């Protein structure tokens, strides 16, 4: 259940290129417990005058829970949530939930590997700090576009020294996923948060290596796919509905806009509640969820409407949009 409350913006700070930390003071702060790594807030955002929800990891929290910070990347092809978050000024009020936990760190493993891609560091940084305090055996692998786009780089280097491994696209130093997974022993737990390509590569390598599935834990931001977002058309033959999906909205949002009742929860491709049945597709489905297995994605009988999209087949002319026919539960 979401328990909504007001929160006031008490500080904003740019911490890297296109990345801003926004500190909030909720009216009903958590009491009697500390905020744990992996917790997030749901936030009501205003997108073109329409209320919507987004989830952001809590990157910092005051000891008494009176202030919480969210660190938000201004996504280049944002659907509007990160644009709204970057307009917030000190003194503004917004609606947030109490902290929620979907990505808990299990304490007591013999070894930990933490992997962050880009803004995924917001969830991973807190885990690394806790593991350090506990004296655990851990290493951090952090990849980003460039040094300027790498939030908390200096702080992490100072706190974690040789345990921190950095990878920069701009310098051609890329994370070698097969080598990383080859070095993992039984019992090691891997926590990752980042773009779907990175997480998918790790998940496949993990499965190929026959490692314990429950030792691989992840959180996604649900907005990065295999292909650039393109406009496409969605048809619901049973309901006689047809609508265009623009590059900055999801199937779920577009169908809600035209009055189709949809089930959903996470809006990040994790829970599967928004799944729809694919009746026909003229194009290629860009599955952006982490809910369906590879086999289910290959068969493309269903997709998660909150994140997945369709791109044209190469044989379609440049001007032709992809089409998707679906049915909803
Ligand atoms: S709402 Fe959770 S996967 Fe779409």
């Amino acid at each position: 259940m979401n328990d909504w409350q007001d929160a006031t913006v008490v500080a904003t700070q740019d911490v890297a290129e296109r990345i801003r930390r926004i500190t909030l003071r909720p009216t009903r702060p958590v009491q009697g417990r500390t905020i744990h790594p992996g917790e997030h807030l749901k936030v009501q955002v205003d997108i073109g005058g329409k209320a919507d929800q987004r989830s952001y990891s809590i990157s910092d929290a005051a000891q008494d829970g009176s202030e919480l910070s969210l660190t938000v990347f201004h996504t280049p092809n944002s659907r509007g949530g990160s644009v709204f978050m970057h307009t917030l000024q000190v003194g503004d009020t917004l609606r947030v939930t109490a902290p929620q936990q979907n990505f808990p760190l299990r304490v007591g493993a013999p070894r930990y590997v933490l992997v962050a891609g880009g803004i995924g560091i917001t969830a991973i940084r807190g885990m690394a700090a806790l593991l350090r305090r506990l004296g655990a055996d851990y290493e951090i692998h952090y990849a980003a576009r460039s040094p300027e786009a790498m939030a908390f780089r200096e702080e992490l280097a100072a706190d974690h020294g040789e345990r921190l491994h950095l990878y920069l696209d701009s310098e051609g130093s890329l994370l070698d996923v097969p080598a990383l997974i080859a070095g993992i022993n039984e019992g090691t737990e891997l926590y990752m948060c980042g773009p779907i390509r990175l997480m998918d590569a790790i998940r496949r390598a993990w499965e190929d290596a026959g490692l314990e599935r429950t030792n691989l834990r992840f959180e996604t931001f649900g907005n990065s796919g295999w292909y650039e977002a393109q406009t496409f058309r969605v048809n619901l033959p049973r309901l006689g509905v047809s609508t265009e999906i623009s590059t900055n909205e999801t199937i779920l949002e577009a169908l809600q806009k035209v009055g189709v009742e949809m089930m959903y929860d996470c809006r990040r491709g994790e829970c599967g509640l928004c799944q729809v049945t694919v009746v026909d597709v003229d194009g290629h489905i860009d599955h952006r969820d982490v809910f369906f297995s590879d086999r289910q994605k290959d068969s493309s009988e269903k997709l998660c409407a909150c994140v997945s999209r369709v791109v044209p087949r190469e044989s379609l002319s440049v001007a032709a949009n992809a089409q998707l026919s679906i049915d909803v539960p």
Side-chain angles (χ1 to χ4, degrees):
M1 274 283 284
N2 292 326
D3 182 16
W4 292 97
Q5 59 181 312
D6 282 341
T8 306
V9 178
V10 294
T12 65
Q13 181 196 10
D14 289 333
V15 294
E17 193 177 86
R18 304 179 74 94
I19 298 178
R20 183 168 297 171
R21 175 159 46 196
I22 300 141
T23 304
L24 306 172
R25 187 173 295 145
T27 44
R28 295 197 308 275
V30 287
Q31 279 175 346
R33 74 167 182 92
T34 46
I35 303 291
H36 298 292
E39 291 196 50
H40 68 272
L41 285 188
K42 280 189 183 155
V43 176
Q44 282 185 9
V45 296
D46 182 325
I47 299 178
K50 238 189 93 201
D52 207 341
Q53 290 176 25
R54 294 289 185 271
S55 298
Y56 297 104
S57 297
I58 297 170
S59 57
D60 304 271
Q63 197 88 45
D64 59 0
S66 60
E67 291 185 2
L68 306 170
S69 298
L70 309 175
T71 301
V72 180
F73 174 54
H74 188 301
T75 321
N77 46 10
S78 164
R79 291 187 276 121
S82 70
V83 173
F84 169 79
M85 294 301 288
H86 275 240
T87 62
L88 291 170
Q89 306 279 337
V90 171
D92 286 350
T93 304
L94 68 166
R95 300 282 289 164
V96 302
T97 60
Q100 301 180 351
Q101 178 63 283
N102 287 340
F103 190 37
L105 177 75
R106 283 193 302 212
V107 173
R111 185 166 167 256
Y112 295 87
V113 174
L114 309 177
V115 181
I119 194 63
I121 194 63
T122 50
I124 295 298
R125 172 172 158 259
M127 293 184 174
L130 177 60
L131 292 173
R132 177 170 167 253
R133 282 202 299 278
L134 294 173
D137 182 7
Y138 68 96
E139 58 191 63
I140 314 163
H141 297 265
Y142 179 17
R145 297 190 317 278
S146 65
E148 298 74 33
M150 201 166 229
F152 308 119
R153 183 185 188 192
E154 276 122 44
E155 174 203 297
L156 290 165
D159 287 352
H160 303 288
E162 289 183 354
R163 293 185 183 275
L164 176 69
H165 305 267
L166 301 176
Y167 308 91
L168 293 162
D169 293 354
S170 60
E171 293 174 8
S173 60
L174 302 177
L175 173 60
D176 182 345
V177 171
L180 178 76
I181 301 302
I184 294 209
N185 309 320
E186 217 176 303
T188 298
E189 295 194 4
L190 189 150
Y191 291 76
M192 60 179 176
C193 185
I196 196 160
R197 276 169 200 259
L198 175 64
M199 300 214 294
D200 221 62
I202 291 175
R203 195 165 51 80
R204 280 169 201 262
W206 189 272
E207 282 171 13
D208 290 349
L211 292 161
E212 181 60 53
R213 290 189 101 164
T214 54
N215 287 346
L216 178 64
R217 318 201 128 219
F218 50 83
E219 185 173 64
T220 173
F221 2 109
N223 59 3
S224 62
W226 293 90
Y227 302 92
E228 265 315 291
Q230 299 191 41
T231 302
F232 60 101
R233 179 158 284 278
V234 167
N235 309 307
L236 285 81
R238 186 172 59 82
L239 302 182
V241 168
S242 177
T243 187
E244 193 142 276
I245 316 295
S246 65
T247 53
N248 62 359
E249 67 182 345
T250 65
I251 298 174
L252 176 66
E253 290 164 350
L255 292 183
Q256 287 181 312
K257 211 154 72 184
V258 295
V260 178
E261 271 194 32
M262 299 288 291
M263 299 233 294
Y264 63 90
D265 181 36
C266 70
R267 291 172 171 264
R268 300 194 297 180
E270 292 172 1
C271 71
L273 259 186
C274 65
Q275 61 181 273
V276 297
T277 303
V278 177
V279 177
D280 191 27
V281 61
D282 188 0
H284 182 78
I285 297 178
D286 185 7
H287 287 282
R288 297 178 168 208
D289 63 280
V290 289
F291 174 76
F292 289 120
S293 66
D294 288 346
R295 187 147 17 106
Q296 287 170 313
K297 286 179 184 171
D298 287 346
S299 76
S300 278
E301 287 168 12
K302 291 182 184 283
L303 60 79
C304 286
C306 68
V307 288
S308 296
R309 309 188 61 83
V310 179
V311 293
R313 281 182 284 112
E314 276 163 25
S315 54
L316 285 179
S317 76
V318 184
N321 285 342
Q323 299 245 1
L324 174 72
S325 294
I326 57 170
D327 200 6
V328 292

